[in-house]
Amino acid sequence: SSTDDTRGSEPKVLSNSIFAPLDTFSRRHIGPNAQTAEEMLQALDPPAKSLDEFVKTVLPAEILSSKDLQVEGPVPESGSMPTSEGGYSESQLLARLREIAGENKVYKSYIGCGYAGTRVPEVIKRNVLENPAWYTSYTPYQPEISQGRLESLLNFQTMVTDLTGMTIANASVLDEPTAAAEAMTLSLNALPASRQKRANKTYVVSHLCHPQTIAVLESRASGFGITIKVADVLEDGSKVVNDVGEDLIGVLAQYPDTLGGVEDFRNLADKVHELKGTFSVGTDLLALTLLTPPGEFGADVAFGNAQRFGVPFGFGGPHAAFFAVGDKHKRKIPGRLVGLSKDRLGSPAARLALQTREQHIRREKATSNICTAQALLANMNAMYAVYHGPGGLKRIAEKVAKMAQVLARALEDAGLEVQKPGFDTVIVKKHEPGLFAQKVAQLSLINFRVVDDEHIGITLDETVGRKQMEEILRAFTTDTVDVEHIAAQLDASVAVPESLRRTSAFLTHPVFNSHHSETEILRYMHHLQSKDLSLVHSMIPLGSCTMKLNATTEMVPISWPEFANIHPFAPSDQTMGYAQLIKELEEDLSEITGFHSVSLQPNSGAQGEFTGLRVIRKYLEEQPGKKRDICLIPVSAHGTNPASAAMAGMRVVTIKCESKTGNLDMEDLKAKCEKYSEELGAIMITYPSTFGVFEPQVKEACELVHKHGGQVYMDGANMNAQIGLCTPGEIGADVCHLNLHKTFCIPHGGGGPGVGPIGVAEHLSPFLPGHPLVEGVGGSKGIAPVSGAPWGSASILPISWAYIKMMGARGLTHATKITLLNANYILSRLKPHYPILYTNEQGRCAHEFILDVRKFKETSGIEAIDVAKRLQDYGFHAPTMSWPVANTLMIEPTESESKAELDRFCDALISIRQEIKEIEDGTQPKDGNVMKLAPHSMKDLICGEWDRPYGREKAAYPLPWLKEKKFWPSVARLDDAYGDMNLFCSCAPVDSIEGITGKEAPMPT
Amino acid sequence: SSTDDTRGSEPKVLSNSIFAPLDTFSRRHIGPNAQTAEEMLQALDPPAKSLDEFVKTVLPAEILSSKDLQVEGPVPESGSMPTSEGGYSESQLLARLREIAGENKVYKSYIGCGYAGTRVPEVIKRNVLENPAWYTSYTPYQPEISQGRLESLLNFQTMVTDLTGMTIANASVLDEPTAAAEAMTLSLNALPASRQKRANKTYVVSHLCHPQTIAVLESRASGFGITIKVADVLEDGSKVVNDVGEDLIGVLAQYPDTLGGVEDFRNLADKVHELKGTFSVGTDLLALTLLTPPGEFGADVAFGNAQRFGVPFGFGGPHAAFFAVGDKHKRKIPGRLVGLSKDRLGSPAARLALQTREQHIRREKATSNICTAQALLANMNAMYAVYHGPGGLKRIAEKVAKMAQVLARALEDAGLEVQKPGFDTVIVKKHEPGLFAQKVAQLSLINFRVVDDEHIGITLDETVGRKQMEEILRAFTTDTVDVEHIAAQLDASVAVPESLRRTSAFLTHPVFNSHHSETEILRYMHHLQSKDLSLVHSMIPLGSCTMKLNATTEMVPISWPEFANIHPFAPSDQTMGYAQLIKELEEDLSEITGFHSVSLQPNSGAQGEFTGLRVIRKYLEEQPGKKRDICLIPVSAHGTNPASAAMAGMRVVTIKCESKTGNLDMEDLKAKCEKYSEELGAIMITYPSTFGVFEPQVKEACELVHKHGGQVYMDGANMNAQIGLCTPGEIGADVCHLNLHKTFCIPHGGGGPGVGPIGVAEHLSPFLPGHPLVEGVGGSKGIAPVSGAPWGSASILPISWAYIKMMGARGLTHATKITLLNANYILSRLKPHYPILYTNEQGRCAHEFILDVRKFKETSGIEAIDVAKRLQDYGFHAPTMSWPVANTLMIEPTESESKAELDRFCDALISIRQEIKEIEDGTQPKDGNVMKLAPHSMKDLICGEWDRPYGREKAAYPLPWLKEKKFWPSVARLDDAYGDMNLFCSCAPVDSIEGITGKEAPMPT
Ligand SMILES: Cc1ncc(COP(=O)(O)O)c(C=O)c1O
Ligand SMILES: Cc1ncc(COP(=O)(O)O)c(C=O)c1O
Ligand SMILES: O=C([O-])O
């Protein structure tokens, strides 16, 4: 059983074979070793005799799994024993992964369709993508220790607004098709209430949008009761729009379109606006360096994939999509928005703006559930723009556009029928294009797009040179074509239709015009990095976020070309390595969750929720009886839960929690189940609960819901507390999403990427999402896709695969035990100093717990935010603040933190408790004390005058080790209200003398 | 010609082909673009009309080359034009290098002979080796901004002293054979003067030392007039030692020896000591975790290669060699030594100790010329030890030792004659071992060592597992061997001879026992990194050091297994890629220097000097006439010059410089040439001179020396000022060394690695150094090798190769012009504020110049060191201090710095001049002012009391941009004298409460 002592104890480093590898992983991943774990068990309150005895006090007996976890380990050499951990050693893992990678074939892909080849500048790859200081940080919720990535995301937003010509852009969304979906729901939301309620409300989508965009729109539309009408939006003076009339939500067009055409949408925009609809445009940032931007021809929303700005194909992702709106919609923009504000000292500083719009507040009224986005990739895109500057980007665009012209001309010269390219894509008429593309792939190792039954598409990019061009031409003609000659003959300006030539300037801010030498950009990246706290500095104890080690060996493979340089729609015989890895990962995740099958398509937890609920709904539709669209959600649920439920078209009914234990109020649940018995669709529960406790009645709750015909959706954000000890499947869930970016070591990247796969029970498997362009994805009756790429953010899956394979079943299970131990160790150390909000009957928490600081408001005026900010002075990131309970702090250490680090953290909180006491005692005043003025930046302390009731040393060095290891917040406490009132979301005006921002954030333009 | 305007102007980004790559490199490498260069030309004093006009005011007309530089660029695609820069674009370069790398065959190598397989922990590889914050820093001359790598080097020294059982260790030497040579010269130096002078003074070397060690000893011995006697040092009660008697300098033995034997040297040590000789032992750190350390059996010196502690083979290097001595010799230890001292606030802090011993002081009396060492690799070794800890290292050693026993037993069982292994190496008798090894390589892709005509050697390492063991055995027997069974039968303790089993503890310091999880070591590495200023922060204007960009694309390939995992003695058919790259690099360097051929063997500039002089001597020996052993060296020469000359057995005669111009005193030169005409061997000159000026009479000087039968040795440290404009060859030199770690982009790594190739004229080519184990190295009458590996630090050669290939001839030439412009721009901006020591008649410097701050001593008490330390407060590394002229600062910006950065630097120095003025004026006192108390650490400023004549803000933020971008020295000014008096060179005692060191550095033990 899972608490079997042999299996439960620390995995041995050595098997008894002298040949066993010594570079075993789990002891590197897990902070405490056997000896410190022992010390910690003894320090618990109450103490525990052994790890397994301890686990029994944490998990209800009926939850504990009856089976041992099984994870396929390295093939043992003939006759030899596997290592006792069962997992791959680091070098074995890399060797195996090299083999798998070798099964992928890296052909040149001209498939286009929303993805284009790009050159990742090596200096950006090494210093951002491969740099733990960038990839291990969290979403910048604590702006004082996140100014680096906030500035970079401001650059991203500026790049997007400048290039699209829109007013405001957010800090990325998940991918281009979901961005389209966000545009659609924003359009809906922008309608007057009466029109939102119309039965036939219709969203008109150009037939020249990418097929995966249309498919994802379909999946998103159904929950909102929207009809999607795919049509030629320009035909007959945009007749289709007129036809829809008052039912119109808006129109979506693409520019350049999926066939490479560039059309003038000015009249269309007017028409949409006349009908009070919203006009959205999918577009391409590179093209916009040459083309009139959407903001100049009437678009209300512009979005697209920023991938070709320095992020590789990655077999579909992760990539940052961008999303920008005009002035009218600027407070409706979904996702995270970085804005300028100022700090306590009046210095400009960036932070996440309009956080009040988050799902936690709006809950089921939210029209978007986006939480984790694509920050790391957005930062790469922004750096790409900083590195190339406006001139460099334009040169790239011109090269691409001219090459497309040359290609078209050359093909015409060879007698082919060609559609005149608008930017980078050439469409050629070709008999049996499928067979042709296959043959070309085999012979020339290049991929074309099979557009339809009679056309081939070829999309060019910055990696194409003469040699590649000649290769492409050789596929069509045996004649030797002198491409230089053709190029020389082309009019320099033919590349872009005259009427749509861009005239406005872009990226004029100095940040895009200063860092063009490698030395300069290197220093710029490192300067930004130096402002940000990440896992390279200290524990990030964010409850519900699982900030564990992202090991180098897990990260290394994502830079390999065999994973990075594969187009998502590459033929399947070129992606056998990916297929193998995906199969193994799906199997392992199925085993870990106790489910029948897994879909890796959703690229965030929230997307997983939406997907899972859509799967449930599709299943329920096939069941007899009434429409089951009620979704029960406990009050304690994460805000994405009700948002996702609403997006899936469900009506949310709230379930209470017991105020004393935090557990689900079983009476209320029973009552609601009965009340809605015939319409009950699902319950969404988080396990262990968002309060950090393994609720004893979870099985009962599942049974109850099942009895009433509902399905059980488990939010797997807390899966790190379960692995190897229990499974959602055995507990009784039907679906569960996992956050690979929490539990399975994909780094948070400063706010994404993420992967949110769902595991489902057998009866739901047929409904897993498919894909319009790729076969073999999802179930036989699969729902429409939820991501543009068949397997979502495929290129980061090796990280989670590697984690599971290196930990092995024993390592994974041991990690879970230590994760529980670590949380309970902190709890035990802090209990004498702070109230703990919830524990189970044995006084234990799960992998996280809530520190209750609410009473200090009365005794000293101190609130959770003051504790959070003061922790920065101690070198720590704050725990999760005010969620799931307002004005409390939720602490999750993960298994990767050592006892020494946990002790440093406890010492800091205990010292802070002392500081609160001084205020309670009256030794320190209620205002202007060291906590209210926290955090202290260097600038704050290095000033001439000092009139505070505490000394500079106390501010900076409250504990002795800080003198050796001090992380400095780069600004003082942010003024959030100011920033939200004065929304300004691009690079600061130049007249600023310091820092990234203007002296004062000006009013938005 | 080189000043042709077309060629001289900024290379164009685009050729006129639309297919030309856009990722061209030289514009990324060079800071100023065409527009800023123009601004700078105008700002010069006097201004210059164009870049080429400017160059003509810098270089004497007769020096300017008459030819255009030619460097092989990318093969142009058929019919297409090369890019106008001529160089490879970044992606072209990587593609070409992938091809070249593909010609290397990565077989498993069990060749041993001083190099063993190792696993570089991925977390160390990514965060140290591949991290510019570690690899771009300089030797830690400025300790206040270098505490991170100083602490890491202290760890290295502690690791070495602990494992060897010696008293003190230095911070690395170049390689194991040169370490042996250092041991020999130290031994000579330790003798009473009378014995040093004996004609037949003899160094006895065990015949069981590695062959390359013996070969390098030979090359080093000759200059000192030492006879090397290679013998069985244990035979007949060490009879050979007695035989040598009073002529004895010392004895060198190896433990474990080259054939893997482990012998008891206790009696030998006694015998050597009786004869007042020094006993040195070459050893292996991994073996010493199991074996009695040399310090416990009477060794006075212990040294070896630390490579197997986490640094790959790299086809021979770079690797850090270690060097440790007993108490008696602790002030004689060569190379750099990190010691503990304290800072102005009394806090413990590390710095380079005993710097007074450097060559600049001892000059021709120095017995060692080591300057650049192997800091980066030493840091990797130290981190490897920190990561594994004593237990982990011992487990690795035991595994290796036991596997060797198993292998020996299995081979015996198969009927072979085997020498019992002492640690990791098994010697097997085998008929025709050469043919056998060849066949095995072909069939099994593994390499054995061919020891002699009848033996094969097999050295095992931590990368070997069961599969590898079975592969090895299959080469000898067709029977299936159950190695697990043999292993199980072996007595657990047989691995090491009983009498030599280690009993003493090692690596007990907490630093080796705390950071074993990946999270912990990651944070430790980043914490250290955060204390160090490197090129990721700001310009490092160290004169004579050329701190230019080390571009990522140059650095990427050194991590590729095809370069990293090749044993230096791998058969040549496996190293064709290296051969190709080396050939091209030699050709390009020959072209650049104007020489006939190049040797890449020396792994530092100083080694290059020694090599060049040895080549000259060998050549001169063949000439008729007297022994020519006089070496003329200007007083301005770098200290390594006279040291190298002395080591090459030459008598140094100093040449004066004119005090007004700094130029060579031609009268003095003439006089000395005439005086020593018959004995004149060589002159050593640096060009441009170490004073930073292109001396006009250099050709004349060369002719003069030639006329008197001498050879001209050019120190190429300043080659960055010459490339494409002039060549040492045309100027008249016969030999020149280059510092690839200066001019050709190998990063300084915090004090190494380096590569110091020499270029030679045709008549000297036959004498280039060879190698005892590898064919095809060096000239037909080559001198004995100067490095252990045939091509020295081969694995970093791709960096320089890539630099040259990407810059192309135009880019290289343009870089030189900009390097001159950058220096003259700073000069022009500073001239109104500071005296400039030397310029040419047009008021120009070369690529560097000397800021003369001597007069401030009198006016304000300010010295160069105060300016240097105050610059740290402004976020800059100091220029080279007090060399070549005491109490001055030598500034070299390189071409990679942008105008913006140069301006920041000038602003800082101008602001400092203002601060000096305040002292001159009496506004500020002469003592305790902001300059004398510089640099200011955070701790220094964040204190309660403040009684200084200047404010905290002035200390920290003297210029406005520092508020946005501030680099903090982690300690206050170091107390050097204290540290040298209280020499303490390992990790601080544990009772210290803070930082890396004890409260006070204790007296050495
Ligand atoms: C309980 C819970 N559910 C869902 C989510 C949303 O996951 P994601 O950010 O990946 O969309 C979170 C995020 O923290 C969470 O904590
Ligand atoms: C003029 C000169 N010669 C020789 C050297 C020695 O070179 P290395 O440090 O590579 O041994 C230096 C080092 O800076 C130097 O400046
Ligand atoms: O390193 C130098 O000695 O310049």
Side-chain angles (χ1 to χ4, degrees), chain B residues 687-714:
Chain B
Y687 200 72
S689 80
T690 58
F691 296 139
V693 180
F694 281 99
E695 294 181 70
Q697 331 91 314
V698 62
K699 279 194 161 172
E700 207 183 309
C702 294
E703 280 157 22
L704 196 63
V705 170
H706 281 149
K707 210 182 72 190
H708 288 276
Q711 293 282 293
V712 176
Y713 183 96
M714 189 175 278

Side-chain angles (χ1 to χ4, degrees), chain A residues 347-401:
Chain A
S347 305
R351 91 286 176 243
L352 295 179
L354 304 183
Q355 282 300 288
T356 47
R357 303 165 318 132
E358 291 258 353
Q359 303 85 18
H360 290 317
I361 308 296
R362 291 241 207 99
R363 300 186 74 85
E364 66 271 20
K365 280 171 205 87
T367 45
S368 165
N369 67 348
I370 185 167
C371 184
T372 286
Q374 303 283 16
L376 186 67
L377 301 316
N379 285 329
M380 290 179 71
N381 299 145
M383 287 299 174
Y384 180 92
V386 167
Y387 179 71
H388 285 295
L393 293 177
K394 201 168 167 196
R395 272 196 295 276
I396 294 171
E398 279 168 347
K399 170 178 167 154
V400 169

